[in-house]
């Protein structure tokens, strides 16, 4: 009951680019210690996980098996996923932060009389390249479709927020970690680190250094910035964009998929990265300490201006199963 690809008009592809290999730390001192895989906070994004609580919304909608065939099914929406029942058989799909929902339509919908009468929306598990297509019919179909889309988006957002530890966006470097001296902003993000794994990492965006046309985006085990998990190097050609969906917090950098805690924080990350790319494109000199102070002040002003739109802490209990790593893993 799952479509293996998204072929609707709103589909888009993204470009994966190789990151450059460069030692950015010109401050000297001991080399950065790598984070141990077994110490990283991670959650399973397996779609077969148990659904929580009672259904938030239930109803009969059409499930699109193809662009020419639709069958009526029972859908129950839960706080962390949905269950589809057809002829007594149930299929469950647990949400992850890398799930988006939006209205859509098919190019040749007019060729199928049944599809013409439906208002269609999709739930796209984009890191798995799996789509569920649904349609609603009857009176006031647009309102009915919008209600489903907004409720699904709200559930995905609750799942996303439940995985983040408490934190605030930071612009000031850490005295005990010299590598953070050129920090512009830092905060937690969720990273799609492989099949059925979402890892919580502490990201730090730094300004470019003298003699370099690359800026560093580092990801640490936590906010202490003592153990480096991964890094991405930003250039003028770097591909950075948001994923398009209702209330979607996902974004992509050089082919790597991330989710911010809120829409406001996603916008802040992408805006800061865009500003760095503009400076690199114009071959601007590396910022001085005074310049860095001004840049941080500007970002902190943006954080303050977005405080009213930053949603509160999500559910206290993570809505996905935490991965318990084998401590013997390297």
């Amino acid at each position: 009951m799952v479509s293996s690809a998204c072929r609707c008009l709103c589909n888009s592809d993204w470009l994966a680019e190789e990151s450059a290999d460069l030692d950015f730390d010109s401050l000297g001192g001991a080399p950065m210690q790598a984070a141990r895989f077994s110490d990283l906070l991670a959650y399973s994004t397996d779609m077969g996980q148990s659904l929580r609580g009672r259904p938030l919304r239930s109803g009969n909608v059409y499930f699109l098996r193809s662009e020419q065939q639709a069958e009526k099914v029972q859908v129950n929406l839960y706080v962390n996923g949905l269950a589809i029942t057809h002829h007594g058989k149930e299929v469950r799909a647990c949400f992850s932060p890398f799930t988006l929902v939006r209205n859509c339509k098919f190019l040749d919908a007019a060729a199928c009389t049944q599809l013409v009468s439906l208002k269609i929306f999709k739930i796209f598990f984009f890191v798995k390249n799996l789509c569920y297509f649904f349609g609603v019919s009857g009176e006031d179909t647009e309102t009915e479709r919008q209600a489903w889309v907004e409720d699904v988006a709200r559930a995905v957002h609750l799942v996303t927020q439940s995985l983040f530890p408490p934190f605030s966006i930071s612009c000031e470097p850490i005295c005990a970690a010299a590598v953070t001296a050129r920090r512009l902003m830092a905060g937690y993000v969720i990273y799609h680190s492989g099949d059925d794994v979402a890892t919580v990492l502490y990201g730090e965006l730094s300004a470019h250094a003298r003699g370099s046309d690359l800026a560093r985006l580092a990801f640490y085990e936590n906010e202490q910035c003592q153990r480096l998990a991964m890094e991405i190097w930003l250039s003028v050609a770097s591909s950075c964009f948001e994923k398009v969906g209702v209330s979607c917090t996902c974004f992509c950098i050089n082919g790597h998929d991330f989710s911010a805690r809120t829409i406001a924080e996603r916008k802040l990350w992408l805006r800061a990265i865009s500003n760095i790319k503009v400076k690199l494109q114009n071959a601007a000199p590396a910022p001085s300490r005074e310049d860095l102070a001004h840049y941080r002040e500007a970002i902190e002003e943006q954080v303050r201006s977005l405080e009213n739109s930053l949603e509160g802490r999500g559910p206290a209990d993570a809505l996905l199963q935490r991965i318990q790593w084998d401590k013997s893993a390297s």
Side-chain angles (χ1 to χ4, degrees), residues 57-91:
R57 182 183 182 88
S58 299
N60 292 319
V61 299
Y62 285 92
F63 181 87
L64 279 64
R65 288 186 173 274
S66 68
E67 296 175 30
Q68 287 79 35
Q69 181 184 10
E71 298 181 3
K72 185 166 286 190
V73 298
Q74 169 76 25
V75 175
N76 292 321
L77 174 65
Y78 294 82
V79 69
N80 68 325
L82 76 165
I84 308 168
T85 305
H86 181 59
H87 292 325
K89 181 180 179 181
E90 183 181 77
V91 175

Side-chain angles (χ1 to χ4, degrees), residues 182-231:
R182 305 188 71 80
R183 171 185 292 183
L184 295 176
M185 64 173 288
Y188 281 102
V189 295
I190 297 176
Y191 173 57
H192 174 243
S193 51
D195 293 340
D196 295 336
V197 178
T199 305
V200 181
L201 298 176
Y202 192 75
E204 180 187 63
L205 178 64
S206 299
H208 64 289
R210 183 174 61 253
S212 173
D213 58 356
L214 298 172
R216 184 176 186 249
L217 184 56
F219 298 91
Y220 299 95
E221 176 185 347
N222 53 43
E223 63 269 25
Q224 301 303 316
C225 301
Q226 297 297 318
R227 294 179 180 271
L228 181 68
M230 61 175 284
E231 55 190 355

